[in-house]
């Protein structure tokens, strides 16, 4: 297939646009205190409460070592605290602090404002079309994972 609808070209354009949106969003959120990655950790703790680092790694879909480094960084900044798990003294529970909750609220608001600015420039019809197209791409990607 050739022309404007060529899957390879459109796929690359999608990846480039998604990267740009993520980079702009991350940069905007960092100026308000948290990167996307750090806010994701705090969002999970906000939703789930205290978690073992292993459970946090599973929720994030990351290696235990990566989560340990992220948690240590957040703990140094006073956004989370690590305490021994009362059920297993070898394990650590990670809990968001009040400072972490405040940073998450600020970062979430900054991210929401920028998403509104970017996607608010689209009409309701365009948003509905984009949502439908993103669902189709997501389904195709999921199918590619399960049936390479």
């Amino acid at each position: 297939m050739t022309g404007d609808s060529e899957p390879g070209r459109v796929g690359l354009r999608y990846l480039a646009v998604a990267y740009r949106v993520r980079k702009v969003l991350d940069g905007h959120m960092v100026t308000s205190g948290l990167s996307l990655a750090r806010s994701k950790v705090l969002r999970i703790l906000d939703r789930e409460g205290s978690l073992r680092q292993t459970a946090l790694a599973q929720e994030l879909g990351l290696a235990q070592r990566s989560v340990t480094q992220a948690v240590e960084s957040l703990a140094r900044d006073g956004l989370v605290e690590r305490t021994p798990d009362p059920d297993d003294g070898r394990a650590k529970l990670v809990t968001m602090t009040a400072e972490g909750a405040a940073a998450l609220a600020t970062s979430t608001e900054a991210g929401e404002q920028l998403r509104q600015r970017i996607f608010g420039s689209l009409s309701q019809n365009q948003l509905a079309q984009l949502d439908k197209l993103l669902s189709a791409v997501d389904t195709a990607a999921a199918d590619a994972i399960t049936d390479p």
Side-chain angles (χ1 to χ4, degrees):
M1 190 174 214
T2 60
D4 287 344
S5 63
E6 179 184 291
R9 186 190 62 76
V10 172
L12 288 175
R13 177 130 193 264
Y14 162 78
L15 292 173
V17 170
Y19 175 78
R20 177 181 294 159
V21 169
R22 184 176 181 88
K23 187 175 177 182
V24 168
L25 184 59
D26 190 49
H28 189 70
M29 290 176 70
V30 165
T31 62
S32 68
L34 290 175
S35 66
L36 280 170
R38 288 167 54 103
S39 65
K40 187 173 182 181
V41 172
L42 293 180
R43 272 195 311 275
I44 290 171
L45 293 173
D46 186 47
R47 183 183 73 227
E48 301 293 331
S50 298
L51 287 175
R52 285 185 180 179
Q53 284 187 198
T54 53
L56 186 55
Q58 288 175 336
E59 283 284 327
L60 291 165
L62 296 173
Q64 177 71 34
R65 180 180 170 109
S66 297
V67 172
T68 298
Q69 291 170 342
V71 168
E72 287 173 354
S73 173
L74 289 166
R76 276 193 304 274
D77 293 342
L79 304 178
V80 301
E81 62 183 12
R82 293 170 38 189
T83 57
D85 184 335
D87 296 331
D88 180 355
R90 299 169 297 168
K92 297 283 188 188
L93 287 177
V94 181
T95 306
M96 184 168 49
T97 64
E99 293 87 0
L104 179 61
T106 300
S107 181
T108 299
E109 177 62 25
E112 178 61 24
Q113 286 176 0
L114 188 59
R115 286 190 309 274
Q116 285 293 331
R117 184 173 161 201
I118 293 169
F119 294 100
S121 67
L122 302 175
S123 70
Q124 288 298 322
N125 188 39
Q126 289 172 319
L127 284 171
Q129 289 174 330
L130 179 59
D131 192 41
K132 186 175 179 179
L133 292 170
L134 289 173
S135 292
V137 170
D138 190 36
T139 298
D143 290 347
I145 291 171
T146 59
D147 186 23

